[in-house]
Amino acid sequence: MEIKVNSNELAKKLEQVTKVVATKSAIPILSDVLMETRGNVMLLTTSDSEVWLSVKCPLLGDFDGSKFCVNAHDLLELVKNLNDREVTISIDEKSKQMLCDYGNGNFSMPYDNASEFPMPNMENENNSSVIVDGNQIMKAIELTSFAVGNSTIRPIMNGIHFDFSESGMVASATNTHKVAIYKNKNIKYDGRIEFTMPKKPSVVLMSILSSTEGEIKISFGASSISINNTNFKLSARLLEGRFFDCESLTEVIKPINVTIDKVSILQALKRVMPMTDEMSNLVVMFFEQGQVTVTADNAVFGKSASETVKCDCDTELRIGFKCSDLIELFKNIDDNNIVMEMINAMGGAVIYASSTYTRDEYVSLISSSTIEQSLNG
């Protein structure tokens, strides 16, 4: 049987599903994409044994009954440069080859039996589910994923924690050095359900949702989750364990409150960062009346840098931060002005937007480094 498909459509869908494929896999079939025709669409499915993603690709006609696997990255490389052509795909069962003809050229590659492809064994259908706006979930992942950890000791930190309740949705992430919390009171759930999704499926989902409009259905299981709408389905295993109470970290009593221009402070940090110590990446911020001085010092190589930026501040405070983490937090604030709340040199900083989000809607936190560490190199 022949299958006809537009090369641009096929390439676009392959780019989505190949994000799941592991760079190196001990199981060869997990390097493949499962291709299955269902009328006028082809279902493309990939997996790394922990995450499964299926997306629909439109076909140029009705083609039922074909089901086979081919190397996902190889097919993407071959298709993505065909520049909006009709591609005819056929299967040669004798030679075990998939043949692709695109008018003035063709290519072939071996295929594997679809029966060898491992499908998820995740029963979510009888468990709780919630229907939400996909853009809101995408925003939650976008605002928190930078704070996800990478720990072998505490794997529960290696994902984004979602908490749905009658009062709304809370998404949070932390690697113990930085924290991000996003709240949406418009997403309500009758009761309470919470889970921690690993970073990989979270980032893959964000990529899918960036090109998908409308609502999505999230179905919860004891150890797995499935998210779908009419165009895709993502299934993933969840992280086990109790997630840390991130909100308790952002409670600042009698804070020192500073408002600073985002562009100015980011530029200053980027200019002084090359002079930081390579191990600590430490910058020291000295807040005083109407300004902050950002300094970096590398005593081993005799390098240093200092820059002063205007800010709304009326209290003196000297505090140190890891520069790359601070830049990351600032970049994630979608506002011209950033608010920093601090208690003392040891307490870290709570950071949030001046106007786009309230402190209750989106807040991040970074732990501080001691001044002694900076002075001693």
Side-chain angles (χ1 to χ4, degrees):
M1 175 183 286
E2 291 186 342
I3 304 165
K4 297 184 184 296
V5 62
N6 177 270
S7 61
N8 282 356
E9 288 290 342
L10 181 57
K12 181 171 65 176
K13 301 303 181 182
L14 284 170
E15 285 180 345
Q16 292 179 337
V17 296
T18 51
K19 288 180 170 62
V20 172
V21 179
T23 306
K24 294 182 180 180
S25 176
I27 306 174
I29 195 71
L30 292 180
S31 299
D32 286 1
V33 53
L34 172 63
M35 308 176 73
E36 180 181 3
T37 56
R38 297 181 179 181
N40 63 352
V41 298
M42 178 183 285
L43 193 65
L44 306 178
T45 303
T46 55
S47 174
D48 65 356
S49 79
E50 294 291 324
V51 183
W52 283 260
L53 176 61
S54 297
V55 301
K56 292 179 180 178
C57 177
L59 298 176
L60 303 176
D62 289 336
F63 307 95
D64 268 323
S66 293
K67 194 174 182 180
F68 53 92
C69 298
V70 294
N71 187 279
H73 286 292
D74 286 350
L75 182 58
L76 175 59
E77 288 300 314
L78 289 165
V79 170
K80 69 181 183 181
N81 295 315
L82 292 183
N83 300 324
D84 196 21
R85 301 189 187 195
E86 180 180 301
V87 177
T88 302
I89 300 173
S90 58
I91 295 296
D92 187 333
E93 295 183 357
K94 289 184 178 180
S95 63
K96 286 285 185 179
Q97 292 281 311
M98 181 192 75
L99 312 174
C100 293
D101 188 288
Y102 50 89
N104 65 328
N106 61 81
F107 61 83
S108 64
M109 57 192 300
Y111 74 88
D112 298 309
N113 291 329
S115 60
E116 298 177 10
F117 193 86
M119 297 304 292
N121 183 22
M122 301 179 184
E123 298 296 332
N124 291 298
E125 287 75 16
N126 297 324
N127 292 309
S128 301
S129 63
V130 60
I131 296 176
V132 300
D133 182 353
N135 286 330
Q136 297 297 336
I137 299 299
M138 180 180 70
K139 178 59 69 174
I141 298 171
E142 182 182 31
L143 292 175
T144 58
S145 59
F146 73 92
V148 172
N150 185 26
S151 172
T152 56
I153 300 174
R154 287 176 285 188
I156 191 65
M157 299 285 189
N158 302 340
I160 300 174
H161 186 74
F162 289 87
D163 189 341
F164 292 85
S165 68
E166 295 175 351
S167 58
M169 180 198 74
V170 179
S172 55
T174 180
N175 67 354
T176 71
H177 300 292
K178 52 189 175 182
V179 178
I181 303 170
Y182 170 75
K183 299 179 182 180
N184 191 315
K185 296 180 179 179
N186 295 320
I187 300 176
K188 299 185 182 295
Y189 178 77
D190 187 14
R192 185 175 184 182
I193 190 74
E194 54 184 317
F195 60 88
T196 306
M197 186 187 298
K199 184 173 183 178
K200 181 176 179 178
S202 300
V203 173
V204 170
L205 178 61
M206 182 173 67
S207 175
I208 294 293
L209 293 177
S210 67
S211 58
T212 301
E213 295 292 333
E215 295 180 327
I216 58 173
K217 181 181 180 181
I218 304 177
S219 301
F220 312 96
S223 60
S224 63
I225 189 172
S226 67
I227 304 167
N228 69 282
N229 66 7
T230 56
N231 298 313
F232 79 94
K233 181 176 182 179
L234 176 74
S235 301
R237 302 190 191 282
L238 298 173
L239 294 175
E240 297 182 2
R242 185 175 181 179
F243 198 78
F244 190 77
D245 181 10
C246 292
E247 292 187 69
S248 65
L249 296 174
T250 63
E251 297 173 359
V252 178
I253 303 173
K254 295 182 179 179
I256 298 166
N257 193 296
V258 175
T259 302
I260 192 166
D261 178 71
K262 174 182 174 178
V263 174
S264 299
I265 191 62
L266 273 176
Q267 289 176 344
L269 288 168
K270 290 176 181 178
R271 282 192 282 263
V272 303
M273 188 165 68
M275 300 302 177
T276 61
D277 178 83
E278 292 182 2
M279 294 295 292
S280 67
N281 191 222
L282 186 70
V283 292
V284 175
M285 304 179 77
F286 177 49
F287 294 93
E288 54 185 331
Q289 187 70 40
Q291 66 181 35
V292 56
T293 302
V294 183
T295 61
D297 180 65
N298 189 325
V300 176
F301 293 97
K303 301 188 297 183
S304 65
S306 175
E307 186 164 334
T308 299
V309 177
K310 292 181 179 180
C311 68
D312 182 6
C313 176
D314 57 8
T315 305
E316 289 191 2
L317 175 66
R318 195 177 184 88
I319 187 169
F321 298 106
K322 185 177 179 180
C323 190
S324 57
D325 283 351
L326 195 59
I327 289 174
E328 196 169 29
L329 265 67
F330 284 165
K331 287 172 65 177
N332 229 44
I333 301 296
D334 185 18
D335 201 321
N336 293 329
N337 293 302
I338 294 171
V339 180
M340 298 179 69
E341 290 181 3
M342 296 160 284
I343 300 177
N344 51 45
M346 301 297 295
V350 174
I351 299 169
Y352 54 96
S354 175
S355 59
T356 54
Y357 289 103
T358 67
R359 190 187 191 283
D360 187 53
E361 290 173 326
Y362 178 58
V363 64
S364 54
L365 180 146
I366 182 172
S367 61
S368 64
S369 301
T370 64
I371 301 302
E372 286 77 12
Q373 181 180 357
S374 173
L375 296 177
N376 294 332

